[in-house]
Amino acid sequence: MIDYQFEILEKSRKAVLKATENLSEEQINQIPTGFKNNIAWNVIHLLVTQQLLCYKLAGQPMYVSDALVNDYRKGTAPNPEKPVSLEDFNAYKEELMLNIERIKQDYKSITSYNSYTTSVGMTLASIEDAITFNNYHEGLHTGFINALLRAIQAS
């Protein structure tokens, strides 16, 4: 069952990579009318959220900095004073893919988990719960990214 969850994660992230290829720096930072964030924020938010759910709550070191977490965790928004460069955006997209292999390997050694109830009322009590919920979360944000792309292309 866990291998299936890893497969979902990989396919979801590949879809995000495909949807965001060949975008300009202006496009990844654009916040269309009616939206609260941008494509860059959503992609980096995916990276940060997986780290919080699958590592921090398991008492494991994260592969991202606390500063990145503070800027892209739930409840944050893009800082118009600090647009994301294309170079950084591409590096974060690489991290998305690297973290698939990392969680596959690290999963085997995670033996404890600090229970956490999400904003949608789901209680995560194990690393397996976290991996499964993270896939749900990634699906939501993949939808947001696609909506942002449609809004950007329409403008």
Side-chain angles (χ1 to χ4, degrees):
M1 183 62 166
I2 197 67
D3 288 337
Y4 183 68
Q5 293 299 326
F6 291 142
E7 185 179 344
I8 292 170
L9 178 63
E10 185 172 353
K11 289 193 183 311
S12 172
R13 288 191 172 179
K14 283 182 177 177
V16 167
L17 293 186
K18 184 162 180 50
T20 60
E21 66 187 5
N22 302 319
L23 295 176
S24 69
E25 192 166 306
E26 180 183 343
Q27 288 173 313
I28 66 170
N29 287 290
Q30 183 179 345
I31 302 175
T33 303
F35 290 86
K36 295 179 181 177
N37 53 46
N38 56 37
I39 290 170
W41 184 91
N42 275 275
V43 168
I44 302 166
H45 175 73
L46 291 178
L47 181 64
V48 163
T49 299
Q50 183 213 19
Q51 293 295 298
L52 288 169
L53 293 174
C54 296
Y55 288 89
K56 182 97 171 172
L57 288 169
Q60 301 294 311
M62 296 186 295
Y63 290 96
V64 297
S65 69
D66 289 340
L68 194 69
V69 169
N70 290 336
D71 288 345
Y72 291 94
R73 71 181 322 140
K74 180 180 170 237
T76 65
N79 180 347
E81 304 296 315
K82 289 173 49 179
V84 177
S85 71
L86 268 182
E87 183 181 345
D88 286 347
F89 183 66
N90 288 327
Y92 291 126
K93 291 194 316 183
E94 281 183 37
E95 282 295 309
L96 278 179
M97 298 313 290
L98 287 172
N99 281 338
I100 297 168
E101 290 309 312
R102 289 173 177 156
I103 190 61
K104 282 181 180 179
Q105 291 303 311
D106 296 341
Y107 163 75
K108 299 169 187 169
S109 62
I110 295 174
T111 57
S112 65
Y113 194 84
N114 296 308
S115 184
Y116 172 73
T117 302
T118 70
S119 59
V120 296
M122 297 295 302
T123 298
L124 311 180
S126 67
I127 186 60
E128 292 83 5
D129 292 350
I131 291 166
T132 301
F133 182 81
N134 184 67
N135 283 344
Y136 158 79
H137 177 263
E138 298 226 359
L140 288 175
H141 284 276
T142 300
F144 295 149
I145 290 166
N146 288 329
L148 284 160
L149 282 168
R150 285 191 298 277
I152 289 166
Q153 290 164 350
S155 63

